[in-house]
Amino acid sequence: MLNVAKKVLITLINDGRGRGFYYMFIMNLSHAMGILRAYFNKLLYYRNIKSSIFSLQTNSRIDVFSKHARIYIGKFVFIRKNASIRVDHYGELIIAEKVFINDHCNINCVYRITIGKNTKIAPHVSINDHDHNFRGSTGEHLIKGEIIIGENVWVGSNVVILRDTVIGDNAVIAAGSVVKGNVPANTIFLNKREKSYIQYA
């Protein structure tokens, strides 16, 4: 226990020297507030959220709109500012340990989304495991599909990840891409969007 306390103290001193002690204090205060905010959300949805220690920064929120919905959050997950996580119906959201979710990200889950450990998600990323059934062909309001994001994945800014998508471990998703389908492990995915119009019946 003393060795752990000593390591923490040395880390704080070194960080304070490099960053400045005032800024180190502000940063760690922000982290502490994020952990408190996360625990408040966990208490609010105590039947739905199972988690270890994680951080939910300013203006980020978790919304659960069904008694059947489930969220599993691993240890040391860090969710930055203005992120929105929404789970509804029988949705199951799994965020593994040490996942980083940056500012202004949106995750909407009504079926199943899994994010593997050590994955990093840049700002303004949208992850949706469903589409609205605008044609009404099946009578269902939503068309649902699973999303699996592997371990050590880097998702660039302004990426949209759609239902029925599997992204393999160590993949890189280039900024601005729209992803649907399979992305093999250890690859770089670049989806260049151009204007195109397709007539549909």
Side-chain angles (χ1 to χ4, degrees):
M1 195 70 177
L2 284 172
N3 285 338
V4 173
K6 187 177 178 181
K7 283 181 183 178
V8 170
L9 185 60
I10 290 169
T11 300
L12 289 173
I13 290 170
N14 289 336
D15 195 36
R17 286 178 180 156
R19 192 186 301 272
F21 284 98
Y22 171 77
Y23 295 100
M24 183 201 69
F25 173 76
I26 294 296
M27 183 188 74
N28 285 293
L29 180 63
S30 174
H31 289 332
M33 294 299 292
I35 291 167
L36 288 174
R37 193 175 294 105
Y39 271 102
F40 173 77
N41 277 265
K42 186 176 177 179
L43 286 173
L44 188 64
Y45 300 114
Y46 67 96
R47 292 181 177 175
N48 308 92
I49 298 177
K50 295 199 181 332
S51 73
S52 181
I53 186 168
F54 73 103
S55 179
L56 190 68
Q57 294 291 296
T58 308
N59 295 326
S60 288
R61 58 184 297 153
I62 297 172
D63 291 315
V64 180
F65 293 120
S66 169
K67 65 181 181 181
H68 307 291
R70 294 290 178 266
I71 301 174
Y72 304 94
I73 302 176
K75 61 185 178 182
F76 306 125
V77 168
F78 191 86
I79 302 166
R80 287 197 65 181
K81 297 178 181 180
N82 302 299
S84 172
I85 296 172
R86 177 179 174 145
V87 184
D88 202 349
H89 301 285
Y90 286 83
E92 182 180 58
L93 173 62
I94 301 166
I95 304 174
E97 65 183 67
K98 297 181 180 176
V99 168
F100 176 80
I101 299 172
N102 216 318
D103 300 332
H104 298 280
C105 288
N106 291 291
I107 300 174
N108 295 296
C109 176
V110 299
Y111 182 58
R112 187 176 297 113
I113 297 173
T114 304
I115 303 173
K117 66 181 182 180
N118 298 313
T119 285
K120 306 292 186 283
I121 299 175
H124 298 279
V125 169
S126 180
I127 303 172
N128 299 281
D129 68 356
H130 60 281
D131 294 321
H132 288 279
N133 188 10
F134 68 95
R135 292 185 187 178
S137 55
T138 64
E140 295 288 330
H141 175 59
L142 299 172
I143 303 170
K144 305 168 188 174
E146 187 170 7
I147 293 174
I148 300 172
I149 301 171
E151 298 180 1
N152 304 305
V153 172
W154 168 249
V155 181
S157 298
N158 299 299
V159 165
V160 177
I161 300 174
L162 302 173
R163 63 181 173 87
D164 299 323
T165 293
V166 177
I167 299 173
D169 295 346
N170 309 306
V172 175
I173 309 300
S177 295
V178 177
V179 188
K180 184 174 172 66
N182 291 319
V183 177
N186 305 299
T187 60
I188 298 175
F189 178 90
L190 171 61
N191 173 243
K192 186 177 179 183
R193 286 181 284 172
E194 297 176 354
K195 287 184 180 178
S196 60
Y197 304 92
I198 300 170
Q199 187 70 38
Y200 65 88

